[in-house]
PDB file of all heavy atoms in Angstrom:
ATOM      1  N   ALA L   1      91.085 123.728 134.194  1.00 97.00           N
ATOM      2  CA  ALA L   1      91.355 124.663 135.293  1.00 97.00           C
ATOM      3  C   ALA L   1      92.610 124.268 136.045  1.00 97.00           C
ATOM      4  O   ALA L   1      93.432 125.124 136.413  1.00 97.00           O
ATOM      5  CB  ALA L   1      90.159 124.710 136.244  1.00 97.00           C
ATOM      6  N   LEU L   2      92.793 122.958 136.258  1.00 97.00           N
ATOM      7  CA  LEU L   2      93.979 122.501 136.982  1.00 97.00           C
ATOM      8  C   LEU L   2      95.230 122.649 136.118  1.00 97.00           C
ATOM      9  O   LEU L   2      96.303 123.026 136.622  1.00 97.00           O
ATOM     10  CB  LEU L   2      93.785 121.052 137.412  1.00 97.00           C
ATOM     11  CG  LEU L   2      94.628 120.575 138.598  1.00 97.00           C
ATOM     12  CD1 LEU L   2      94.467 121.494 139.800  1.00 97.00           C
ATOM     13  CD2 LEU L   2      94.253 119.147 138.974  1.00 97.00           C
ATOM     14  N   ARG L   3      95.106 122.373 134.832  1.00 97.00           N
ATOM     15  CA  ARG L   3      96.260 122.563 133.942  1.00 97.00           C
ATOM     16  C   ARG L   3      96.710 124.025 133.962  1.00 97.00           C
ATOM     17  O   ARG L   3      97.910 124.313 133.977  1.00 97.00           O
ATOM     18  CB  ARG L   3      95.890 122.155 132.506  1.00 97.00           C
ATOM     19  CG  ARG L   3      95.776 120.660 132.286  1.00 97.00           C
ATOM     20  CD  ARG L   3      95.696 120.338 130.792  1.00 97.00           C
ATOM     21  NE  ARG L   3      95.489 118.928 130.535  1.00 97.00           N
ATOM     22  CZ  ARG L   3      96.448 117.997 130.568  1.00 97.00           C
ATOM     23  NH1 ARG L   3      97.684 118.348 130.878  1.00 97.00           N
ATOM     24  NH2 ARG L   3      96.168 116.745 130.309  1.00 97.00           N
ATOM     25  N   GLN L   4      95.753 124.925 133.975  1.00 96.00           N
ATOM     26  CA  GLN L   4      96.098 126.344 133.998  1.00 96.00           C
ATOM     27  C   GLN L   4      96.733 126.727 135.331  1.00 96.00           C
ATOM     28  O   GLN L   4      97.742 127.435 135.369  1.00 96.00           O
ATOM     29  CB  GLN L   4      94.851 127.188 133.754  1.00 96.00           C
ATOM     30  CG  GLN L   4      95.140 128.689 133.701  1.00 96.00           C
ATOM     31  CD  GLN L   4      93.914 129.504 133.342  1.00 96.00           C
ATOM     32  OE1 GLN L   4      92.811 128.976 133.227  1.00 96.00           O
ATOM     33  NE2 GLN L   4      94.088 130.799 133.140  1.00 96.00           N
ATOM     34  N   ALA L   5      96.148 126.232 136.437  1.00 96.00           N
ATOM     35  CA  ALA L   5      96.683 126.565 137.762  1.00 96.00           C
ATOM     36  C   ALA L   5      98.095 126.041 137.941  1.00 96.00           C
ATOM     37  O   ALA L   5      98.924 126.678 138.609  1.00 96.00           O
ATOM     38  CB  ALA L   5      95.758 126.002 138.841  1.00 96.00           C
ATOM     39  N   TRP L   6      98.376 124.885 137.362  1.00 97.00           N
ATOM     40  CA  TRP L   6      99.688 124.265 137.526  1.00 97.00           C
ATOM     41  C   TRP L   6     100.642 124.584 136.371  1.00 97.00           C
ATOM     42  O   TRP L   6     101.773 124.100 136.374  1.00 97.00           O
ATOM     43  CB  TRP L   6      99.535 122.749 137.613  1.00 97.00           C
ATOM     44  CG  TRP L   6      98.975 122.267 138.924  1.00 97.00           C
ATOM     45  CD1 TRP L   6      98.687 123.011 140.032  1.00 97.00           C
ATOM     46  CD2 TRP L   6      98.648 120.904 139.252  1.00 97.00           C
ATOM     47  NE1 TRP L   6      98.205 122.213 141.034  1.00 97.00           N
ATOM     48  CE2 TRP L   6      98.171 120.915 140.592  1.00 97.00           C
ATOM     49  CE3 TRP L   6      98.711 119.696 138.566  1.00 97.00           C
ATOM     50  CZ2 TRP L   6      97.765 119.747 141.244  1.00 97.00           C
ATOM     51  CZ3 TRP L   6      98.307 118.536 139.210  1.00 97.00           C
ATOM     52  CH2 TRP L   6      97.837 118.563 140.533  1.00 97.00           C
ATOM     53  N   SER L   7     100.185 125.363 135.402  1.00 95.00           N
ATOM     54  CA  SER L   7     100.991 125.621 134.188  1.00 95.00           C
ATOM     55  C   SER L   7     101.454 124.294 133.595  1.00 95.00           C
ATOM     56  O   SER L   7     102.651 124.087 133.323  1.00 95.00           O
ATOM     57  CB  SER L   7     102.193 126.516 134.525  1.00 95.00           C
ATOM     58  OG  SER L   7     101.769 127.760 135.028  1.00 95.00           O
ATOM     59  N   ALA L   8     100.495 123.395 133.416  1.00 95.00           N
ATOM     60  CA  ALA L   8     100.792 122.046 132.935  1.00 95.00           C
ATOM     61  C   ALA L   8      99.925 121.723 131.720  1.00 95.00           C
ATOM     62  O   ALA L   8      99.031 120.878 131.774  1.00 95.00           O
ATOM     63  CB  ALA L   8     100.547 121.031 134.045  1.00 95.00           C
ATOM     64  N   PRO L   9     100.174 122.409 130.601  1.00 95.00           N
ATOM     65  CA  PRO L   9      99.366 122.151 129.402  1.00 95.00           C
ATOM     66  C   PRO L   9      99.591 120.735 128.882  1.00 95.00           C
ATOM     67  O   PRO L   9     100.631 120.120 129.149  1.00 95.00           O
ATOM     68  CB  PRO L   9      99.882 123.192 128.406  1.00 95.00           C
ATOM     69  CG  PRO L   9     101.282 123.479 128.853  1.00 95.00           C
ATOM     70  CD  PRO L   9     101.258 123.382 130.340  1.00 95.00           C
ATOM     71  N   GLU L  10      98.605 120.241 128.169  1.00 93.00           N
ATOM     72  CA  GLU L  10      98.748 118.907 127.574  1.00 93.00           C
ATOM     73  C   GLU L  10      99.899 118.931 126.575  1.00 93.00           C
ATOM     74  O   GLU L  10      99.994 119.812 125.727  1.00 93.00           O
ATOM     75  CB  GLU L  10      97.444 118.516 126.877  1.00 93.00           C
ATOM     76  CG  GLU L  10      97.398 117.060 126.466  1.00 93.00           C
ATOM     77  CD  GLU L  10      96.007 116.627 126.052  1.00 93.00           C
ATOM     78  OE1 GLU L  10      95.103 117.490 126.008  1.00 93.00           O
ATOM     79  OE2 GLU L  10      95.823 115.435 125.766  1.00 93.00           O
ATOM     80  N   ASP L  11     100.789 117.946 126.701  1.00 93.00           N
ATOM     81  CA  ASP L  11     101.973 117.899 125.840  1.00 93.00           C
ATOM     82  C   ASP L  11     102.307 116.437 125.562  1.00 93.00           C
ATOM     83  O   ASP L  11     102.805 115.726 126.440  1.00 93.00           O
ATOM     84  CB  ASP L  11     103.159 118.589 126.522  1.00 93.00           C
ATOM     85  CG  ASP L  11     104.362 118.740 125.595  1.00 93.00           C
ATOM     86  OD1 ASP L  11     104.422 118.022 124.579  1.00 93.00           O
ATOM     87  OD2 ASP L  11     105.239 119.567 125.906  1.00 93.00           O
ATOM     88  N   PRO L  12     101.999 115.947 124.360  1.00 92.00           N
ATOM     89  CA  PRO L  12     102.233 114.528 124.048  1.00 92.00           C
ATOM     90  C   PRO L  12     103.702 114.126 124.095  1.00 92.00           C
ATOM     91  O   PRO L  12     104.017 112.936 124.129  1.00 92.00           O
ATOM     92  CB  PRO L  12     101.658 114.375 122.637  1.00 92.00           C
ATOM     93  CG  PRO L  12     101.662 115.762 122.073  1.00 92.00           C
ATOM     94  CD  PRO L  12     101.433 116.680 123.226  1.00 92.00           C
ATOM     95  N   ARG L  13     104.591 115.111 124.137  1.00 92.00           N
ATOM     96  CA  ARG L  13     106.027 114.792 124.194  1.00 92.00           C
ATOM     97  C   ARG L  13     106.475 114.444 125.604  1.00 92.00           C
ATOM     98  O   ARG L  13     107.562 113.897 125.799  1.00 92.00           O
ATOM     99  CB  ARG L  13     106.846 115.979 123.683  1.00 92.00           C
ATOM    100  CG  ARG L  13     106.583 116.362 122.228  1.00 92.00           C
ATOM    101  CD  ARG L  13     107.210 117.695 121.908  1.00 92.00           C
ATOM    102  NE  ARG L  13     106.666 118.759 122.759  1.00 92.00           N
ATOM    103  CZ  ARG L  13     107.093 120.015 122.757  1.00 92.00           C
ATOM    104  NH1 ARG L  13     108.086 120.369 121.942  1.00 92.00           N
ATOM    105  NH2 ARG L  13     106.539 120.918 123.553  1.00 92.00           N
ATOM    106  N   LEU L  14     105.650 114.793 126.612  1.00 96.00           N
ATOM    107  CA  LEU L  14     106.026 114.602 128.016  1.00 96.00           C
ATOM    108  C   LEU L  14     105.254 113.468 128.663  1.00 96.00           C
ATOM    109  O   LEU L  14     104.071 113.273 128.378  1.00 96.00           O
ATOM    110  CB  LEU L  14     105.759 115.879 128.823  1.00 96.00           C
ATOM    111  CG  LEU L  14     106.600 117.115 128.539  1.00 96.00           C
ATOM    112  CD1 LEU L  14     106.139 118.250 129.462  1.00 96.00           C
ATOM    113  CD2 LEU L  14     108.079 116.840 128.750  1.00 96.00           C
ATOM    114  N   THR L  15     105.930 112.742 129.549  1.00 98.00           N
ATOM    115  CA  THR L  15     105.249 111.842 130.477  1.00 98.00           C
ATOM    116  C   THR L  15     105.232 112.557 131.815  1.00 98.00           C
ATOM    117  O   THR L  15     106.281 112.918 132.353  1.00 98.00           O
ATOM    118  CB  THR L  15     105.966 110.493 130.604  1.00 98.00           C
ATOM    119  OG1 THR L  15     106.019 109.861 129.321  1.00 98.00           O
ATOM    120  CG2 THR L  15     105.250 109.586 131.599  1.00 98.00           C
ATOM    121  N   ARG L  16     104.037 112.790 132.330  1.00 98.00           N
ATOM    122  CA  ARG L  16     103.895 113.587 133.560  1.00 98.00           C
ATOM    123  C   ARG L  16     103.658 112.648 134.747  1.00 98.00           C
ATOM    124  O   ARG L  16     102.711 111.872 134.776  1.00 98.00           O
ATOM    125  CB  ARG L  16     102.750 114.583 133.395  1.00 98.00           C
ATOM    126  CG  ARG L  16     102.622 115.572 134.496  1.00 98.00           C
ATOM    127  CD  ARG L  16     101.674 116.710 134.103  1.00 98.00           C
ATOM    128  NE  ARG L  16     102.342 117.699 133.261  1.00 98.00           N
ATOM    129  CZ  ARG L  16     101.870 118.137 132.097  1.00 98.00           C
ATOM    130  NH1 ARG L  16     100.727 117.685 131.637  1.00 98.00           N
ATOM    131  NH2 ARG L  16     102.534 119.042 131.399  1.00 98.00           N
ATOM    132  N   PHE L  17     104.537 112.753 135.749  1.00 98.00           N
ATOM    133  CA  PHE L  17     104.452 111.949 136.963  1.00 98.00           C
ATOM    134  C   PHE L  17     103.909 112.816 138.104  1.00 98.00           C
ATOM    135  O   PHE L  17     104.336 113.956 138.269  1.00 98.00           O
ATOM    136  CB  PHE L  17     105.827 111.404 137.358  1.00 98.00           C
ATOM    137  CG  PHE L  17     106.437 110.481 136.336  1.00 98.00           C
ATOM    138  CD1 PHE L  17     107.254 110.987 135.327  1.00 98.00           C
ATOM    139  CD2 PHE L  17     106.203 109.113 136.373  1.00 98.00           C
ATOM    140  CE1 PHE L  17     107.829 110.150 134.381  1.00 98.00           C
ATOM    141  CE2 PHE L  17     106.767 108.268 135.432  1.00 98.00           C
ATOM    142  CZ  PHE L  17     107.580 108.781 134.431  1.00 98.00           C
ATOM    143  N   LEU L  18     102.999 112.250 138.887  1.00 98.00           N
ATOM    144  CA  LEU L  18     102.400 112.997 139.996  1.00 98.00           C
ATOM    145  C   LEU L  18     102.674 112.296 141.316  1.00 98.00           C
ATOM    146  O   LEU L  18     102.327 111.130 141.503  1.00 98.00           O
ATOM    147  CB  LEU L  18     100.882 113.108 139.796  1.00 98.00           C
ATOM    148  CG  LEU L  18     100.109 113.797 140.934  1.00 98.00           C
ATOM    149  CD1 LEU L  18     100.479 115.274 141.022  1.00 98.00           C
ATOM    150  CD2 LEU L  18      98.599 113.635 140.744  1.00 98.00           C
ATOM    151  N   LEU L  19     103.321 113.039 142.238  1.00 97.00           N
ATOM    152  CA  LEU L  19     103.492 112.570 143.611  1.00 97.00           C
ATOM    153  C   LEU L  19     102.525 113.379 144.475  1.00 97.00           C
ATOM    154  O   LEU L  19     102.750 114.555 144.726  1.00 97.00           O
ATOM    155  CB  LEU L  19     104.944 112.763 144.086  1.00 97.00           C
ATOM    156  CG  LEU L  19     105.389 111.975 145.337  1.00 97.00           C
ATOM    157  CD1 LEU L  19     106.905 112.100 145.527  1.00 97.00           C
ATOM    158  CD2 LEU L  19     104.682 112.401 146.611  1.00 97.00           C
ATOM    159  N   ALA L  20     101.441 112.728 144.894  1.00 94.00           N
ATOM    160  CA  ALA L  20     100.411 113.409 145.679  1.00 94.00           C
ATOM    161  C   ALA L  20     100.566 113.042 147.152  1.00 94.00           C
ATOM    162  O   ALA L  20     100.598 111.864 147.497  1.00 94.00           O
ATOM    163  CB  ALA L  20      99.025 113.014 145.182  1.00 94.00           C
ATOM    164  N   GLY L  21     100.677 114.050 147.988  1.00 87.00           N
ATOM    165  CA  GLY L  21     100.816 113.804 149.419  1.00 87.00           C
ATOM    166  C   GLY L  21     101.482 114.983 150.086  1.00 87.00           C
ATOM    167  O   GLY L  21     102.175 115.774 149.434  1.00 87.00           O
ATOM    168  N   ARG L  22     101.272 115.090 151.382  1.00 87.00           N
ATOM    169  CA  ARG L  22     101.855 116.210 152.118  1.00 87.00           C
ATOM    170  C   ARG L  22     103.371 116.219 151.970  1.00 87.00           C
ATOM    171  O   ARG L  22     103.994 115.172 151.769  1.00 87.00           O
ATOM    172  CB  ARG L  22     101.450 116.147 153.592  1.00 87.00           C
ATOM    173  CG  ARG L  22     101.996 114.953 154.341  1.00 87.00           C
ATOM    174  CD  ARG L  22     101.354 114.837 155.721  1.00 87.00           C
ATOM    175  NE  ARG L  22     101.939 113.757 156.514  1.00 87.00           N
ATOM    176  CZ  ARG L  22     101.637 112.485 156.405  1.00 87.00           C
ATOM    177  NH1 ARG L  22     100.745 112.102 155.505  1.00 87.00           N
ATOM    178  NH2 ARG L  22     102.215 111.579 157.163  1.00 87.00           N
ATOM    179  N   LEU L  23     103.954 117.403 152.056  1.00 92.00           N
ATOM    180  CA  LEU L  23     105.403 117.534 151.925  1.00 92.00           C
ATOM    181  C   LEU L  23     106.051 117.156 153.252  1.00 92.00           C
ATOM    182  O   LEU L  23     106.184 117.971 154.172  1.00 92.00           O
ATOM    183  CB  LEU L  23     105.781 118.969 151.527  1.00 92.00           C
ATOM    184  CG  LEU L  23     105.226 119.475 150.195  1.00 92.00           C
ATOM    185  CD1 LEU L  23     105.771 120.860 149.879  1.00 92.00           C
ATOM    186  CD2 LEU L  23     105.538 118.505 149.060  1.00 92.00           C
ATOM    187  N   THR L  24     106.431 115.907 153.340  1.00 92.00           N
ATOM    188  CA  THR L  24     107.124 115.398 154.514  1.00 92.00           C
ATOM    189  C   THR L  24     108.151 114.380 154.051  1.00 92.00           C
ATOM    190  O   THR L  24     107.976 113.722 153.013  1.00 92.00           O
ATOM    191  CB  THR L  24     106.126 114.763 155.507  1.00 92.00           C
ATOM    192  OG1 THR L  24     106.828 114.238 156.627  1.00 92.00           O
ATOM    193  CG2 THR L  24     105.326 113.653 154.865  1.00 92.00           C
ATOM    194  N   ARG L  25     109.217 114.247 154.796  1.00 93.00           N
ATOM    195  CA  ARG L  25     110.366 113.456 154.359  1.00 93.00           C
ATOM    196  C   ARG L  25     110.010 112.008 154.041  1.00 93.00           C
ATOM    197  O   ARG L  25     110.594 111.392 153.142  1.00 93.00           O
ATOM    198  CB  ARG L  25     111.461 113.529 155.424  1.00 93.00           C
ATOM    199  CG  ARG L  25     112.840 113.129 154.943  1.00 93.00           C
ATOM    200  CD  ARG L  25     113.892 113.456 156.005  1.00 93.00           C
ATOM    201  NE  ARG L  25     113.931 114.879 156.297  1.00 93.00           N
ATOM    202  CZ  ARG L  25     114.600 115.775 155.574  1.00 93.00           C
ATOM    203  NH1 ARG L  25     115.287 115.380 154.514  1.00 93.00           N
ATOM    204  NH2 ARG L  25     114.598 117.048 155.901  1.00 93.00           N
ATOM    205  N   ILE L  26     109.070 111.442 154.780  1.00 92.00           N
ATOM    206  CA  ILE L  26     108.752 110.029 154.588  1.00 92.00           C
ATOM    207  C   ILE L  26     108.119 109.743 153.232  1.00 92.00           C
ATOM    208  O   ILE L  26     108.080 108.593 152.799  1.00 92.00           O
ATOM    209  CB  ILE L  26     107.831 109.499 155.710  1.00 92.00           C
ATOM    210  CG1 ILE L  26     106.460 110.166 155.665  1.00 92.00           C
ATOM    211  CG2 ILE L  26     108.481 109.663 157.070  1.00 92.00           C
ATOM    212  CD1 ILE L  26     105.458 109.553 156.627  1.00 92.00           C
ATOM    213  N   LYS L  27     107.653 110.774 152.537  1.00 94.00           N
ATOM    214  CA  LYS L  27     106.997 110.555 151.250  1.00 94.00           C
ATOM    215  C   LYS L  27     107.985 110.330 150.109  1.00 94.00           C
ATOM    216  O   LYS L  27     107.589 109.950 148.999  1.00 94.00           O
ATOM    217  CB  LYS L  27     106.078 111.729 150.906  1.00 94.00           C
ATOM    218  CG  LYS L  27     104.888 111.884 151.847  1.00 94.00           C
ATOM    219  CD  LYS L  27     103.961 110.685 151.808  1.00 94.00           C
ATOM    220  CE  LYS L  27     102.732 110.889 152.676  1.00 94.00           C
ATOM    221  NZ  LYS L  27     101.833 109.711 152.660  1.00 94.00           N
ATOM    222  N   GLY L  28     109.271 110.592 150.341  1.00 96.00           N
ATOM    223  CA  GLY L  28     110.281 110.219 149.355  1.00 96.00           C
ATOM    224  C   GLY L  28     110.534 111.208 148.237  1.00 96.00           C
ATOM    225  O   GLY L  28     111.065 110.837 147.183  1.00 96.00           O
ATOM    226  N   HIS L  29     110.206 112.481 148.443  1.00 97.00           N
ATOM    227  CA  HIS L  29     110.425 113.480 147.386  1.00 97.00           C
ATOM    228  C   HIS L  29     111.887 113.547 146.947  1.00 97.00           C
ATOM    229  O   HIS L  29     112.180 113.685 145.748  1.00 97.00           O
ATOM    230  CB  HIS L  29     109.987 114.869 147.872  1.00 97.00           C
ATOM    231  CG  HIS L  29     108.548 114.964 148.263  1.00 97.00           C
ATOM    232  ND1 HIS L  29     108.104 114.662 149.523  1.00 97.00           N
ATOM    233  CD2 HIS L  29     107.444 115.322 147.542  1.00 97.00           C
ATOM    234  CE1 HIS L  29     106.788 114.840 149.582  1.00 97.00           C
ATOM    235  NE2 HIS L  29     106.370 115.244 148.398  1.00 97.00           N
ATOM    236  N   LEU L  30     112.799 113.472 147.902  1.00 97.00           N
ATOM    237  CA  LEU L  30     114.217 113.610 147.573  1.00 97.00           C
ATOM    238  C   LEU L  30     114.707 112.457 146.699  1.00 97.00           C
ATOM    239  O   LEU L  30     115.585 112.645 145.844  1.00 97.00           O
ATOM    240  CB  LEU L  30     115.048 113.714 148.850  1.00 97.00           C
ATOM    241  CG  LEU L  30     114.863 115.026 149.629  1.00 97.00           C
ATOM    242  CD1 LEU L  30     115.508 114.926 151.009  1.00 97.00           C
ATOM    243  CD2 LEU L  30     115.457 116.200 148.856  1.00 97.00           C
ATOM    244  N   THR L  31     114.151 111.273 146.899  1.00 98.00           N
ATOM    245  CA  THR L  31     114.495 110.139 146.038  1.00 98.00           C
ATOM    246  C   THR L  31     114.105 110.439 144.594  1.00 98.00           C
ATOM    247  O   THR L  31     114.859 110.150 143.654  1.00 98.00           O
ATOM    248  CB  THR L  31     113.777 108.861 146.511  1.00 98.00           C
ATOM    249  OG1 THR L  31     114.206 108.534 147.837  1.00 98.00           O
ATOM    250  CG2 THR L  31     114.069 107.689 145.588  1.00 98.00           C
ATOM    251  N   ILE L  32     112.937 111.050 144.412  1.00 98.00           N
ATOM    252  CA  ILE L  32     112.458 111.355 143.065  1.00 98.00           C
ATOM    253  C   ILE L  32     113.286 112.471 142.433  1.00 98.00           C
ATOM    254  O   ILE L  32     113.553 112.443 141.211  1.00 98.00           O
ATOM    255  CB  ILE L  32     110.967 111.723 143.092  1.00 98.00           C
ATOM    256  CG1 ILE L  32     110.148 110.525 143.584  1.00 98.00           C
ATOM    257  CG2 ILE L  32     110.486 112.171 141.723  1.00 98.00           C
ATOM    258  CD1 ILE L  32     110.359 109.254 142.784  1.00 98.00           C
ATOM    259  N   ILE L  33     113.694 113.447 143.227  1.00 98.00           N
ATOM    260  CA  ILE L  33     114.559 114.509 142.673  1.00 98.00           C
ATOM    261  C   ILE L  33     115.866 113.901 142.173  1.00 98.00           C
ATOM    262  O   ILE L  33     116.343 114.225 141.079  1.00 98.00           O
ATOM    263  CB  ILE L  33     114.816 115.588 143.742  1.00 98.00           C
ATOM    264  CG1 ILE L  33     113.517 116.357 144.038  1.00 98.00           C
ATOM    265  CG2 ILE L  33     115.908 116.555 143.278  1.00 98.00           C
ATOM    266  CD1 ILE L  33     113.616 117.314 145.209  1.00 98.00           C
ATOM    267  N   GLU L  34     116.432 112.985 142.963  1.00 98.00           N
ATOM    268  CA  GLU L  34     117.680 112.339 142.528  1.00 98.00           C
ATOM    269  C   GLU L  34     117.442 111.468 141.301  1.00 98.00           C
ATOM    270  O   GLU L  34     118.273 111.434 140.377  1.00 98.00           O
ATOM    271  CB  GLU L  34     118.251 111.492 143.672  1.00 98.00           C
ATOM    272  CG  GLU L  34     119.609 110.906 143.338  1.00 98.00           C
ATOM    273  CD  GLU L  34     120.226 110.110 144.475  1.00 98.00           C
ATOM    274  OE1 GLU L  34     119.750 110.239 145.628  1.00 98.00           O
ATOM    275  OE2 GLU L  34     121.181 109.354 144.203  1.00 98.00           O
ATOM    276  N   ALA L  35     116.311 110.767 141.267  1.00 98.00           N
ATOM    277  CA  ALA L  35     115.985 109.937 140.096  1.00 98.00           C
ATOM    278  C   ALA L  35     115.826 110.812 138.855  1.00 98.00           C
ATOM    279  O   ALA L  35     116.301 110.466 137.763  1.00 98.00           O
ATOM    280  CB  ALA L  35     114.712 109.136 140.358  1.00 98.00           C
ATOM    281  N   ALA L  36     115.158 111.950 139.006  1.00 98.00           N
ATOM    282  CA  ALA L  36     114.985 112.874 137.882  1.00 98.00           C
ATOM    283  C   ALA L  36     116.324 113.403 137.397  1.00 98.00           C
ATOM    284  O   ALA L  36     116.537 113.575 136.180  1.00 98.00           O
ATOM    285  CB  ALA L  36     114.071 114.024 138.302  1.00 98.00           C
ATOM    286  N   ALA L  37     117.224 113.678 138.330  1.00 98.00           N
ATOM    287  CA  ALA L  37     118.562 114.147 137.957  1.00 98.00           C
ATOM    288  C   ALA L  37     119.290 113.087 137.130  1.00 98.00           C
ATOM    289  O   ALA L  37     119.999 113.403 136.160  1.00 98.00           O
ATOM    290  CB  ALA L  37     119.363 114.494 139.205  1.00 98.00           C
ATOM    291  N   ARG L  38     119.116 111.824 137.488  1.00 98.00           N
ATOM    292  CA  ARG L  38     119.750 110.741 136.734  1.00 98.00           C
ATOM    293  C   ARG L  38     119.154 110.633 135.329  1.00 98.00           C
ATOM    294  O   ARG L  38     119.882 110.389 134.350  1.00 98.00           O
ATOM    295  CB  ARG L  38     119.592 109.421 137.487  1.00 98.00           C
ATOM    296  CG  ARG L  38     120.423 109.344 138.770  1.00 98.00           C
ATOM    297  CD  ARG L  38     120.063 108.114 139.608  1.00 98.00           C
ATOM    298  NE  ARG L  38     120.819 108.101 140.851  1.00 98.00           N
ATOM    299  CZ  ARG L  38     121.915 107.373 141.085  1.00 98.00           C
ATOM    300  NH1 ARG L  38     122.383 106.585 140.132  1.00 98.00           N
ATOM    301  NH2 ARG L  38     122.531 107.428 142.247  1.00 98.00           N
TER     302      ARG L  38
END
């Protein structure tokens, strides 16, 4: 049910990272976006 809600089917080719927490600056989302870009 969660895979369907998130459009996140099982895919052995992918490593899926989860950042769980409210969307606030202190949680470091922007650091991860920059890391993903790299």
Side-chain angles (χ1 to χ4, degrees):
L2 203 53
R3 286 192 184 280
Q4 183 175 6
W6 286 355
S7 299
E10 191 168 4
D11 188 341
R13 298 168 300 176
L14 292 180
T15 300
R16 188 167 280 129
F17 298 90
L18 176 67
L19 197 171
R22 65 190 185 279
L23 299 185
T24 178
R25 198 171 299 277
I26 66 172
K27 294 297 184 181
H29 300 87
L30 290 169
T31 298
I32 297 304
I33 292 172
E34 186 178 345
R38 290 171 183 260

